[in-house]
Amino acid sequence: MSIVTSILPASAPETPFVSALLEKPQTQKMLINGNWVEASQSETIDVLDPANGTTIAYLQRGTATDVDQAVKSARAALPVWGKMTPRQKAEVLHKIADLIDANIEALSELETLDQGKPYSVSRWAEIPSAAKQFRFFAGLCHAVEGKTINNSVEYQPEGRDVHSWTLKEPVGVVGAIVPWNSPLVLTAMKIAPALAAGCTVVLKPSEETSLTAIKLGEMALEAGLPPGVLNVVTGYGHETGSALASHTDVDKIAFTGSTQTGRAIVDASKSNLKRVSLELGGKSPAIVMKDADLDLAIPGLANGIFFNAGQVCVANSRAFIHADIYDQVIEGVAAYGAEMQLGHGLNRQTAMGPVVSRKQADRIEAYVEGARNDGAQILGGGRCGDNGTFIKPTVVGNVSTASPIAQDEVFGPVLVAQKFTEMDEALNWANDTSFGLASSIWTRDFSTAHKVSRQLRAGTVWINTHSMFDAALPIGGVKQSGYGRDSGITALDNYLETKTVCAVI
Ligand code: NAD
């Protein structure tokens, strides 16, 4: 049985900063041009602990005027950052990573308090991964390079030659807009490559989870990043985010968030035809063949959908399972979920925290209830705890592939399972979605795995695993899951322009 251990952080926070927030909510400031400032109007945003609804901090509600100040400071800092050598830039990025590692306990507790995820997820997965992004792109500061090009220009002046080459130059001022589900690591996935490419940044974290982004601003200054190279402006999406996306002196928006907001960003980018890269939503399929190793597949599917309470863009929210093993797999996944302890993320035994807000919990429950009314088989599920933000691990079977729960991004701990008999049927269902972020295939037959990995329309295919990340592995989507890639060498391209130089010599 899933149980709520406590919606209060029974294990005392070990770091003074988080203890202080629990004692008394503190007002946070924004970072503009190396200074910690208040917004140009006096309203603030309450930051809630999603496990129990108590206020833990207040954020500045940044305005278009504040965004404009931040953009001006980022513009002015471009030549300063640009003059620093690759080695100097790399040293700053390494120092940021060192500071993340040195403050790992405090950052992990802060992320957990702000977002709700279990401490173990923050401490062992997400915060270390943020440091790894900075280290990976520190190395790539040295890899920003053009090419010499063998050309065939026909009209060459007598006795002369034509020599041509490309230069890679920073795109310029980058607006980075990130969501609430994995705040610091998703922020690092934007900031680290942007800085490595020589860009300057205005960061707009989610209004739900800005606290580790603010800490990142502090660490960046301590690491020696010149003032204005990274600015952190907090506020609402429709206000602060929208002002950044439509600002005519921003050269590029690097966005992670929902497909719906991605569309709004593309609309806003028309103002000056700024560059846009989009990491959007998903409805990622897992195909489980009858020869799959179920000792891997059952916990793998459970982890893939219940990790972070299902609030993961790449979560395997749909599973297509061969009819011969269907019952065993769904019962196994449901049993795994039933064993998970729900509770406040700061309690060290918690395996699953709350979803981010009551509104999100209501939305998840409405999808499950809709499926139940349509005759679905439901294993597990329902709410627990007093606050209304804890949703128990849920497996939903016997629904049509066209139903809302099988098509929309539910973004909760809900696995939709479907039975197949023919491989082609599973593949067609897997691809029958407007999303194309990630996918997985579970089989012992390597040639099936190979074939299917070519046929799945998704930015990532995992084989016998799901949600495996590394700073070197590109991540991003096809179809309405977006364009551009974060992570990996290819992410640098998001932040570089190619200049061609052609010379008569
Ligand atoms: P969201 O789209 O509501 O918000 C994301 C960010 O955009 C927030 O900072 C928000 O303030 C801002 N925003 C909202 N409206 C805006 C506007 N009109 N103009 C500019 N900015 C605006 O997403 P969310 O609810 O915070 O996050 C969940 C979504 O993020 C899910 O769809 C999830 O799949 C997606 N996501 C994708 C990836 C990926 O790598 N593809 C990773 C994590 C999350």
Side-chain angles (χ1 to χ4, degrees):
M1 267 275 292
S2 314
I3 45 163
V4 173
T5 48
S6 171
I7 61 167
L8 295 172
S11 318
E14 285 166 9
T15 51
F17 179 75
V18 173
S19 303
L21 282 183
L22 284 173
E23 254 167 47
K24 185 172 181 289
Q26 292 161 21
T27 304
Q28 310 294 310
K29 291 191 175 170
M30 307 190 292
L31 178 62
I32 298 182
N33 203 22
N35 300 311
W36 291 99
V37 298
E38 291 178 355
S40 56
Q41 50 83 18
S42 56
E43 266 181 57
T44 55
I45 300 172
D46 286 11
V47 182
L48 304 183
D49 175 344
N52 52 36
T54 51
T55 301
I56 51 170
Y58 305 102
L59 297 177
Q60 301 296 322
R61 181 174 166 177
T63 64
T65 307
D66 301 316
V67 167
D68 189 50
Q69 284 304 315
V71 172
K72 284 196 171 93
S73 111
R75 176 66 57 195
L78 258 180
V80 181
W81 186 234
K83 261 189 216 138
M84 288 175 68
T85 64
R87 186 178 49 74
Q88 288 169 325
K89 289 194 188 91
E91 279 171 5
V92 174
L93 265 61
H94 271 302
K95 187 83 207 296
I96 295 175
D98 290 345
L99 286 167
I100 293 174
D101 283 340
N103 292 288
I104 203 152
E105 310 291 346
L107 287 167
S108 301
E109 287 198 335
L110 187 59
E111 196 79 302
T112 285
L113 179 65
D114 199 11
Q115 201 276 346
K117 63 183 73 242
Y119 174 79
S120 56
V121 171
S122 300
R123 173 63 183 82
W124 302 108
E126 297 196 358
I127 306 297
S129 298
K132 285 174 192 161
Q133 289 283 331
F134 280 99
R135 290 197 198 289
F136 181 80
F137 286 101
L140 288 182
C141 290
H142 303 275
V144 177
E145 54 188 23
K147 288 182 176 166
T148 53
I149 297 179
N150 247 342
N151 64 68
S152 306
V153 176
E154 286 176 1
Y155 304 105
Q156 300 187 9
E158 192 66 30
R160 310 290 285 271
D161 209 349
V162 174
H163 182 54
S164 45
W165 66 95
T166 56
L167 297 172
K168 288 287 184 183
E169 297 183 342
V171 165
V173 173
V174 172
I177 303 179
V178 291
W180 48 260
N181 56 329
S182 294
L184 190 67
V185 64
L186 294 177
T187 298
M189 283 160 80
K190 308 286 186 212
I191 308 292
L195 296 180
C199 296
T200 57
V201 179
V202 177
L203 166 66
K204 208 300 277 175
S206 167
E207 55 273 34
E208 312 267 5
T209 55
S210 294
L211 299 180
T212 48
I214 292 168
K215 284 279 157 209
L216 181 66
E218 284 176 22
M219 291 185 289
L221 289 183
E222 192 182 336
L225 197 70
V229 177
L230 172 64
N231 305 273
V232 184
V233 182
T234 53
Y236 291 116
H238 64 268
E239 201 169 31
T240 324
S242 157
L244 187 58
S246 58
H247 198 293
T248 51
D249 204 27
V250 171
D251 299 297
K252 185 207 154 68
I253 293 288
F255 175 72
T256 299
S258 62
T259 297
Q260 191 189 359
T261 307
R263 285 202 185 88
I265 300 272
V266 171
D267 280 343
S269 73
K270 290 179 194 158
S271 60
N272 62 336
L273 293 180
K274 58 176 69 67
R275 279 77 183 117
V276 175
S277 52
L278 301 171
E279 298 291 329
L280 306 178
K283 190 76 184 174
S284 301
I287 299 178
V288 190
M289 304 297 292
K290 71 175 167 192
D291 69 343
D293 179 345
L294 297 190
D295 289 341
L296 272 183
I298 290 172
L301 292 184
N303 256 314
I305 186 64
F306 301 144
F307 183 87
N308 205 17
Q311 302 167 119
V312 178
C313 53
V314 297
N316 49 268
S317 46
R318 296 181 297 152
F320 300 103
I321 305 164
H322 192 276
D324 290 1
I325 50 166
Y326 178 86
D327 289 337
Q328 191 184 348
V329 172
I330 62 165
E331 281 160 19
V333 172
Y336 185 105
E339 288 300 312
M340 295 179 86
Q341 286 220 63
L342 275 64
H344 195 289
L346 286 177
N347 295 330
R348 300 307 195 247
Q349 68 272 39
T350 292
M352 190 195 283
V355 297
V356 76
S357 63
R358 187 186 286 257
K359 190 170 141 217
Q360 173 65 359
D362 291 346
R363 188 175 164 272
I364 296 167
E365 210 170 32
Y367 273 108
V368 176
E369 282 316 301
R372 195 192 305 275
N373 293 338
D374 290 342
Q377 168 196 22
I378 314 272
L379 305 181
R383 297 211 192 185
C384 54
D386 300 332
N387 179 41
T389 52
F390 286 91
I391 301 272
K392 293 193 231 171
T394 316
V395 178
V396 178
N398 194 30
V399 287
S400 134
T401 53
S403 63
I405 201 165
Q407 286 292 323
D408 299 350
E409 188 181 41
V410 174
F411 226 51
V414 180
L415 176 70
V416 177
Q418 268 138 349
K419 207 184 275 185
F420 74 89
T421 45
E422 298 300 326
M423 184 65 239
D424 283 350
E425 182 184 31
L427 254 174
N428 287 338
W429 285 341
N431 286 333
D432 181 21
T433 158
S434 58
F435 297 111
L437 189 55
S439 57
S440 58
I441 164 86
W442 302 76
T443 178
R444 289 183 161 101
D445 180 342
F446 204 64
S447 84
T448 302
H450 248 281
K451 243 187 262 167
V452 170
S453 64
R454 284 165 182 260
Q455 288 169 305
L456 281 165
R457 288 196 65 201
T460 295
V461 180
W462 285 291
I463 299 173
N464 294 327
T465 185
H466 201 101
S467 298
M468 195 168 265
F469 298 104
D470 186 81
L473 295 175
I475 185 93
V478 300
K479 299 197 273 181
Q480 292 184 36
S481 290
Y483 38 81
R485 293 290 178 270
D486 279 347
S487 278
I489 296 176
T490 183
L492 263 189
D493 291 339
N494 284 338
Y495 303 96
L496 291 169
E497 296 281 17
T498 301
K499 180 183 277 177
T500 305
V501 187
C502 183
V504 171
I505 54 174

